[in-house]
Amino acid sequence: MPTYRVVLPIGDMRVGRVPEDVLPAAVDGARELTDVEAWDVGIVRGLPRVTVRFTADDDDEAFRVAELTRARTNLVAQVLGVDVLRRFGSRFHQVVRRPDVW
């Protein structure tokens, strides 16, 4: 089963929330749909970002997990974007969502 990452740059906190709420919200969102392998929070170019690593059957499922993770995180802090990456060998590469084909 492929391994994916969802990366969420974080902006302002929602009213009544604290930074410690962000990572658990992201992880819990992903866990609603799949097995979570790891999670991390870091600072990149002065902006906090949350990374959740998980498994999914395919890219479509990975995007569903990423969207739920974004939605749950957005309840506690402003999410400024979503990147989905898939592991190929020892590296992760960005996955581009294909438009539906009619």
Side-chain angles (χ1 to χ4, degrees):
M1 183 173 290
T3 297
Y4 292 86
R5 285 182 182 166
V6 58
V7 180
L8 308 170
I10 304 298
D12 294 333
M13 298 302 302
R14 301 289 181 207
V15 175
R17 297 300 191 135
V18 295
E20 292 80 11
D21 294 339
V22 176
L23 189 57
V27 173
D28 290 346
R31 280 188 177 148
E32 288 185 37
L33 296 178
T34 191
D35 293 325
V36 173
E37 296 178 335
W39 53 90
D40 187 34
V41 65
I43 306 294
V44 177
R45 291 183 290 278
L47 190 67
R49 74 176 190 181
V50 170
T51 302
V52 179
R53 191 176 78 210
F54 60 93
T55 58
D57 289 330
D58 56 33
D59 293 350
D60 290 334
E61 182 181 341
F63 279 107
R64 285 191 295 276
V65 172
E67 178 54 30
L68 184 58
T69 303
R70 185 210 58 78
R72 295 294 186 261
T73 306
N74 201 52
L75 294 173
V76 298
Q78 180 186 21
V79 176
L80 303 176
V82 178
D83 287 320
V84 178
L85 300 103
R86 181 176 180 172
R87 185 176 180 173
F88 291 99
S90 62
R91 302 187 84 175
F92 282 85
H93 300 275
Q94 188 160 12
V95 179
V96 178
R97 188 167 212 167
R98 298 177 309 166
D100 291 332
V101 178
W102 295 93

